[in-house]
Amino acid sequence: MTAIRIAIHGAAGRMGRRLVALTVADPELKLVAALESPEHPELGEDAGQLAAVGRAGVPALRQPRRADALVDFSPKRLVDLESPGGPVPARVRHDRPERRAESS
């Protein structure tokens, strides 16, 4: 089964770091991009290390990378989602059944 490629916008912020940690911990997800503003002091740092989950091999960058899904947890819009070749395809197709929480 191919992992869903995830880009996180605002990855070096408090909530973004949590999203990075959850993405790295989930075997069905793969962190492929950690986006931050050009003036962020931790730009270039490894997103996993920022999230205190160990090296993820994904630096906090300002340029988007191709992903299946973009999670935006940033106060600013840093990427143009409408541009051709943007970080997320125009149509996202999910081939997996939805996960549902089981009630006890």
Side-chain angles (χ1 to χ4, degrees):
M1 192 182 300
T2 303
I4 298 171
R5 298 171 304 160
I6 304 291
I8 298 175
H9 186 205
R14 184 172 50 94
M15 294 305 297
R17 290 174 192 223
R18 184 65 183 137
L19 292 169
V20 166
L22 291 169
T23 300
V24 169
D26 191 324
E28 293 187 14
L29 304 176
K30 178 177 178 161
L31 182 67
V32 296
L35 306 173
E36 259 314 329
S37 66
E39 58 274 340
H40 197 283
E42 293 171 309
L43 194 67
E45 298 293 324
D46 185 85
Q49 290 178 320
L50 291 175
V53 294
R55 188 159 177 75
V58 178
L61 301 172
R62 60 186 181 132
Q63 301 95 353
R65 293 198 175 145
R66 196 88 169 139
D68 297 319
L70 171 67
V71 179
D72 187 356
F73 227 99
S74 172
K76 299 190 229 182
R77 184 178 193 151
L78 300 179
V79 295
D80 182 4
L81 300 178
E82 304 300 321
S83 68
V88 180
R91 299 176 140 229
V92 176
R93 180 175 170 211
H94 299 282
D95 294 323
R96 298 176 199 190
E98 291 183 30
R99 284 194 253 176
R100 297 194 179 145
E102 294 180 23
S103 56
S104 304

